[in-house]
Amino acid sequence: MDIARDPTVTADDTQIADAAPMPQHPQEIRREDYHPPEWLVPQVALDFALDLDATRVVTRLTVQRNPEGGGDKAIRLNGDGIAALAVTVDGNATNDWQMDGPDLLITLPGEAHEIVVETQINPAANSQLMGLYASNGMLCTQCEAEGFRRIAFFPDRPDVLSTYSVRMTGDKARFPVLLSNGNCTDSGDNADGTHWAEWHDPWPKPSYLFALVAGDLAADRDTFTTMSGREVQLAIWVRAPKGGGGDLDRTGHAMRSLKKSMKWDEEVFGREYDLDLFNIVAVSDFNMGAMENKGLNVFNTRYVLADPETATDGDYDAVEGVIAHEYFHNWSGNRVTCRDWFQLSLKEGLTVLRDQLFSQDMGSESVKRIEDVRILRSAQFPEDSGPLAHPIRPDSYREISNFYTSTVYNKGAEVIRMMRTMAGPEAFRKGTDLYFDRHDGEAATCEDFVKAMEDGAGLDLSRFRLWYSQAGTPRVEARLKHAGNEAVLHLKQTVPATPGQPEKQPMPIPLRLALFDRESGGHRGEQLIVLDKASDSFRFGGFATPPVLSLNRGFSAPVAIERQVAEDELVFLAAHDDDPFARYEAMQSLTVQYLTAAGGEAGATGSGAGREAIGTALEAILADSALDDLMRGELMMLPGETYLAEQLLVADPGAIHAAREGLKGWLGARLEQRLVALHERASAVPYGLDAAARGARKLKTQALVLLAAGVPEVAARLAAEQYRAADNMTDRQGALMVLAGLETPARAELLADFKARYEGNALVTDKWFSLQAGSLHPQALDHVRELAGHSDFTLANPNRVRSLYMAFAANPQAFHAASGEGYRMIADLILALDPINAQTAARFVPPLGRWRRIEPARSALMRAELERIAAAPNLSRDTAEQVGRSLG
Ligand code: TRP
Ligand code: ZN
């Protein structure tokens, strides 16, 4: 008898696909193969009998033949590790169905039918955290991208939109709170100690936006009145253990962020919320940051919980940004969703841009821009120049989870930001208005967005569309010539070859620029030029003497500018540029030029004069009383090692590390007096969330970072003082970060103090792991090996795994240990984690995938580890795809 039809099938047997070996060559899905769905599902009714290890699900689908389909007699209902316990069509049990691998195919004679399928799942055994799973005794779901098929058989693709009615029944003591999308329409108690609730979501949605949460939760409640005067009930749900110690006292910042987001989206994008209820649930076991399920956002606890004692200023910003991001998805993602997963950047690029603009408006616009560019350069640029490079709208994939990338998210946001730069904010708003209006309720494509921008904002984007199809970071060579009264800017662009894309076309590149007069220190106004050919020249008259060029101001295009600039010009811009980003950029370029002058050769750097120039510029920045401390803190940060490595064709990570640390040490020693004085000045500022107090905290830690490299005894003393005096996590973590990299008795003592002080707080325990795994300590690698055996370490929790191993993989000195031990450690982790949580395991492949750009000895070691992973049996589709592409 077919196991799928056997009603006696046990709960564990229903998770068959998790245990079954994956096919050796999982199929590639291609964008060009898109076909509209054969069947539409206007209505779904789900009935859950909740239980931690045996949840029964009855799915009732109202299906209709799609007039745009090909007339297929069978409906394909995707499944993943689930079995059909019973199937009826129009009320009658039927045998007209079969399994096709994980999917259920049902033959349907007519145009419209009602299908009922029953399944059973085991949430407690679901370690992948996709579908319905258990976390801390509660039940919750994660369906994007293809998790719904682990719960119920369904055409699990984003272009099938349905209205959902959900009924759930569960033990009232274990699951006192029962939540789903939309509004709660009814609820009640049963005589047997169970209770039930019914939810209805009036907005048609794809299955990836379905959510259900059941557990012992408490709510922080508030209300928001929308622009049209409707009152929305807001609730943030967190753990509420009976004996106390719950998280309710750490939701205030998230709630304030939510209300600000709702207001801002009305004011800036004209978008109003559309349900009477908005729920957020914080979950401690979560694969990503958060999820925008309609009316029921599910969040990683780290993006909800914050108070001064346990969260840094960075954490506060991250909570605000992610709360905004998920809320903004209600329009850019939910009301207008994606036709297929190749269009992912349609919702993610746009929503990242929206959350970036929001955060710019909430805090320091320039500091936010600098931070976003730093993320792009350290995460996306390496992706774009490596074996996993893909366009923001990919052409093919095997496992879509692998395409939730910095390219789709962050470069996707940059591409839309360029449209905004070219159109200006008002015309851009006309474009987004038209987009939302035209495609409301639809599953749209990136092309639909571009068209709406052309029609609404009045742009001609015909060539600009190349940004959607071409991977790789464009390089722009710039030369400024001066003759007579004229300055001439010669620009030449090349888009590098990437896997599968050997040949590239030139793309329109919008560049904001200004030409400074050296004497007066001013310029005659900023201009926007668009380089839309392979090369072009731009003439600027009226310059009796050669001006100083400030190019790609505000980082108006996500490109790499290649230009040899005289040190004195960079020093000038670092001191005088009125565009804060350009000022930061001048400081970065000065350092990049110096540190990569010798092509990254062991220990070699630029000239003594180059180093002097950096010292002089930094000294001026430290002394500039017109600068606020948040910005000063940015200007004090040296370019990261990944970004430095990006500048070189083949990098020696050891040499880059030594050169960068050498420069830090020289600066720290040379500027010791000033840095100590700044630290003292900033230490007198009392805790607050205002920009001045936050700036003071940033300054303190940045000062310690430089001092630690130059005068470690001084830094160790100041850091220990800062730690002991701290009344907030920013100061405490900053001090401990510096101490963790030093050989000083305070190191062990204060790490232990930190651990004990926050015993039982998972998010702070994550910090304790990260501080050690990411430290500059020469034995960091050994520390990581020991920490992996710590009783608080577990592979079952993604936050904990990342806190140890992502911090380690991002620690160049430790990860790139010449012995190859770091590579082996990450490969071992991938192999151990893959059967438990494939999505998270696959995210550790990219650091090893950099092998082609690393010096030969390390390169061979990295490659060997990738080959060892590739040879392992039963690799997940996620990991197999990433390793396969990395080996290329
Ligand atoms: N859509 C989510 C966001 O960016 C991303 C996300 C959350 C996700 N959980 C996921 C993607 C799980 C893939 C798998 O806001
Ligand atoms: Zn998103």
Side-chain angles (χ1 to χ4, degrees):
M1 192 178 187
D2 189 339
I3 183 176
R5 295 179 199 222
D6 184 356
T8 63
V9 72
T10 67
D12 287 336
D13 291 333
T14 61
Q15 292 291 332
I16 41 177
D18 279 355
M22 285 291 173
Q24 269 320 101
H25 298 285
Q27 217 199 305
E28 192 170 66
I29 321 281
R30 292 183 307 173
R31 183 164 61 87
E32 64 190 25
D33 291 343
Y34 174 82
H35 289 294
E38 294 291 322
W39 293 84
L40 303 177
V41 188
Q43 284 173 41
V44 182
L46 296 166
D47 192 342
F48 288 85
L50 298 170
D51 190 60
L52 276 179
D53 56 13
T55 289
R56 286 263 171 169
V57 189
V58 178
T59 316
R60 181 180 304 267
L61 309 177
T62 307
V63 306
Q64 273 169 17
R65 189 175 293 285
N66 183 4
E68 280 161 44
D72 203 325
K73 278 278 171 235
I75 183 170
R76 175 176 295 271
L77 302 177
N78 301 114
D80 180 0
I82 56 173
L85 305 181
V87 180
T88 69
V89 174
D90 300 329
N92 304 311
T94 177
N95 283 322
D96 257 351
W97 60 273
Q98 64 188 84
M99 296 301 291
D100 178 24
D103 298 342
L104 174 62
L105 301 183
I106 308 177
T107 310
L108 298 174
E111 296 295 302
H113 297 279
E114 190 180 75
I115 300 172
V116 178
V117 181
E118 187 171 353
T119 56
Q120 180 171 308
I121 47 186
N122 181 351
N126 183 351
S127 62
Q128 303 284 347
L129 314 185
M130 290 295 286
L132 180 68
Y133 63 93
S135 173
N136 273 335
M138 78 161 136
L139 292 175
C140 66
T141 56
Q142 170 57 40
C143 293
E144 187 178 5
E146 297 180 336
F148 191 76
R149 62 184 69 183
R150 294 166 60 87
I151 299 173
F153 286 104
F154 193 77
D156 192 12
R157 42 186 291 167
D159 56 353
V160 173
L161 278 70
S162 325
T163 51
Y164 283 67
S165 300
V166 177
R167 182 187 164 87
M168 60 192 119
T169 309
D171 184 80
K172 192 171 180 175
R174 196 185 276 276
F175 309 117
V177 175
L178 303 173
L179 305 172
S180 190
N181 315 89
N183 304 306
C184 185
T185 46
D186 204 0
S187 62
D189 290 344
N190 297 318
D192 62 352
T194 63
H195 70 152
W196 57 273
E198 287 176 358
W199 288 77
H200 178 74
D201 180 2
W203 297 101
K205 65 169 175 287
S207 50
Y208 82 87
L209 291 173
F210 164 78
L212 173 155
V213 172
D216 192 358
L217 300 165
D220 174 1
R221 293 183 188 276
D222 209 326
T223 61
F224 178 81
T225 305
T226 70
M227 59 204 279
S228 70
R230 275 186 313 101
E231 190 175 89
V232 181
Q233 304 299 316
L234 311 176
I236 299 181
W237 298 89
V238 295
R239 265 179 345 124
K242 294 281 173 305
D247 296 325
L248 257 191
D249 51 353
R250 290 189 286 153
T251 55
H253 176 62
M255 183 61 87
R256 281 188 296 276
S257 301
L258 174 60
K259 293 200 284 181
K260 285 197 238 177
S261 306
M262 296 178 86
K263 186 105 196 101
W264 185 91
D265 211 17
E266 292 183 346
E267 285 170 3
V268 178
F269 279 88
R271 302 293 114 201
E272 185 178 3
Y273 188 61
D274 55 7
L275 285 166
D276 302 330
L277 218 57
F278 189 76
N279 283 313
I280 290 176
V281 181
V283 175
S284 46
D285 301 281
F286 203 71
N287 280 347
M288 306 264 287
M291 180 62 212
E292 70 263 26
N293 317 299
K294 185 79 189 189
L296 178 54
N297 288 1
V298 176
F299 271 64
N300 189 322
T301 42
R302 66 176 296 193
Y303 295 113
V304 174
L305 306 178
D307 66 9
E309 180 62 19
T310 59
T312 62
D313 296 333
D315 295 330
Y316 269 76
D317 288 344
V319 167
E320 184 180 83
V322 178
I323 292 267
H325 180 96
E326 306 310 330
Y327 173 73
F328 296 159
H329 267 315
N330 191 56
W331 273 97
S332 49
N334 301 1
R335 286 289 284 264
V336 182
T337 191
C338 300
R339 185 191 73 173
D340 55 70
W341 292 119
F342 296 105
Q343 319 298 327
L344 183 59
S345 201
L346 175 74
K347 74 174 176 84
E348 295 304 346
L350 178 55
T351 305
V352 170
L353 175 66
R354 277 151 54 67
D355 83 55
Q356 290 179 348
L357 294 175
F358 166 76
S359 297
Q360 283 184 351
D361 284 353
M362 294 302 114
S364 161
E365 179 178 348
S366 43
V367 169
K368 174 62 179 163
R369 185 66 187 134
I370 291 168
E371 285 168 355
D372 288 336
V373 175
R374 193 184 303 123
I375 291 169
L376 190 83
R377 283 174 166 167
S378 63
Q380 200 277 325
F381 278 23
E383 202 165 87
D384 236 354
S385 68
L388 302 175
H390 52 278
I392 65 168
R393 182 188 56 206
D395 292 313
S396 71
Y397 63 78
R398 291 173 198 272
E399 170 50 61
I400 186 57
S401 298
N402 288 331
F403 286 79
Y404 286 76
T405 59
S406 184
T407 296
V408 167
Y409 276 63
N410 304 86
K411 186 178 181 180
E414 294 296 328
V415 168
I416 303 178
R417 188 187 283 260
M418 284 191 283
M419 297 182 200
R420 183 172 180 267
T421 300
M422 292 187 294
E426 287 86 29
F428 178 75
R429 167 69 193 273
K430 292 202 174 90
T432 57
D433 280 355
L434 182 62
Y435 167 70
F436 289 125
D437 189 45
R438 203 182 254 179
H439 298 289
D440 190 7
E442 290 180 9
T445 61
C446 295
E447 174 54 29
D448 291 331
F449 181 81
V450 174
K451 193 79 187 63
M453 270 298 146
E454 287 190 315
D455 298 347
L459 292 169
D460 174 1
L461 298 171
S462 19
R463 288 194 64 77
F464 189 84
R465 282 172 170 79
L466 287 164
W467 280 100
Y468 281 88
S469 57
Q470 296 196 143
T473 306
R475 325 235 125 221
V476 177
E477 276 174 53
R479 276 176 305 127
L480 186 72
K481 292 278 163 65
H482 182 260
N485 251 353
E486 209 177 47
V488 186
L489 177 61
H490 299 281
L491 297 176
K492 180 166 173 281
Q493 65 162 300
T494 46
V495 186
T498 50
Q501 296 188 333
E503 235 57 77
K504 299 286 169 68
Q505 309 275 312
M507 305 194 281
I509 297 175
L511 295 167
R512 287 167 47 195
L513 64 85
L515 293 159
F516 281 84
D517 178 53
R518 241 176 251 259
E519 241 68 322
S520 70
H523 63 81
R524 288 173 232 162
E526 187 181 274
Q527 307 186 39
L528 177 71
I529 60 171
V530 181
L531 172 66
D532 54 5
K533 311 189 187 66
S535 65
D536 209 347
S537 299
F538 299 84
R539 295 172 180 280
F540 307 91
F543 288 96
T545 54
V548 178
L549 172 65
S550 167
L551 187 62
N552 204 18
R553 307 181 101 213
F555 202 68
S556 57
V559 301
I561 303 282
E562 290 181 347
R563 176 165 180 250
Q564 275 304 314
V565 189
E567 275 146 12
D568 65 311
E569 293 198 10
L570 291 173
V571 172
F572 173 90
L573 292 171
H576 291 104
D577 205 316
D578 56 333
D579 177 69
F581 174 80
R583 204 169 165 184
Y584 162 85
E585 185 69 341
M587 201 58 213
Q588 295 284 296
S589 303
L590 203 55
T591 318
V592 169
Q593 281 190 19
Y594 169 73
L595 288 175
T596 59
E601 266 163 53
T605 45
S607 66
R611 196 171 68 176
E612 280 300 326
I614 298 169
T616 307
L618 187 56
E619 194 161 11
I621 282 159
L622 297 186
D624 186 345
S625 57
L627 267 178
D628 63 78
D629 284 340
L630 273 178
M631 185 64 195
R632 194 188 321 277
E634 289 300 327
L635 294 169
M636 288 168 72
M637 287 184 213
L638 300 189
E641 288 169 42
T642 328
Y643 181 59
L644 288 167
E646 267 306 289
Q647 317 297 312
L648 306 164
L649 225 47
V650 174
D652 177 342
I656 291 177
H657 181 75
R660 186 175 178 275
E661 284 304 305
L663 176 61
K664 273 169 68 185
W666 183 81
L667 290 168
R670 164 160 167 172
L671 301 172
E672 177 185 348
Q673 300 309 320
R674 224 178 247 292
L675 291 167
V676 170
L678 281 174
H679 188 272
E680 193 178 310
R681 192 253 286 158
S683 298
V685 179
Y687 184 82
L689 286 171
D690 54 298
R694 292 174 52 129
R697 290 192 288 276
K698 185 163 163 186
L699 194 61
K700 268 188 270 184
T701 296
Q702 286 312 311
L704 289 182
V705 163
L706 291 175
L707 288 168
V711 277
E713 343 60 63
V714 176
R717 179 174 52 77
L718 290 179
E721 278 171 27
Q722 177 173 318
Y723 181 92
R724 293 202 168 92
D727 60 357
N728 65 84
M729 180 53 83
T730 305
D731 284 346
R732 205 168 274 135
Q733 181 186 278
L736 206 47
M737 174 186 76
V738 169
L739 287 169
L742 295 173
E743 296 275 19
T744 164
R747 179 183 193 277
E749 181 204 332
L750 296 180
L751 275 168
D753 176 88
F754 188 82
K755 180 78 172 63
R757 174 190 286 262
Y758 297 106
E759 202 59 54
N761 182 316
L763 294 176
V764 184
T765 303
D766 290 341
K767 293 182 188 298
W768 181 79
F769 278 97
S770 289
L771 283 167
Q772 298 172 77
S775 91
L776 283 170
H777 197 282
Q779 261 92 57
L781 194 140
D782 301 323
H783 299 156
V784 172
R785 190 178 290 113
E786 266 171 52
L787 287 167
H790 193 281
S791 59
D792 283 341
F793 186 75
T794 169
L795 289 179
N797 178 265
N799 282 2
R800 188 57 47 85
V801 171
R802 287 185 285 252
S803 76
L804 182 63
Y805 286 108
M806 267 305 169
F808 171 71
N811 182 346
Q813 172 181 247
F815 176 63
H816 289 292
S819 63
E821 279 173 275
Y823 308 143
R824 198 182 322 134
M825 202 182 274
I826 290 298
D828 285 342
L829 165 73
I830 292 170
L831 288 169
L833 187 57
D834 195 50
I836 299 169
N837 187 328
Q839 217 178 87
T840 305
R843 291 195 167 261
F844 285 90
V845 175
L848 289 171
R850 303 289 304 150
W851 63 275
R852 274 193 189 77
R853 299 280 304 270
I854 305 278
E855 57 82 19
R858 287 180 175 89
S859 180
L861 294 165
M862 293 168 90
R863 200 189 151 150
E865 293 303 333
L866 284 169
E867 277 164 354
R868 180 162 71 90
I869 302 169
N874 301 335
L875 275 191
S876 68
R877 188 162 64 202
D878 309 59
T879 298
E881 177 176 38
Q882 295 304 69
V883 170
R885 287 164 68 207
S886 297
L887 285 167

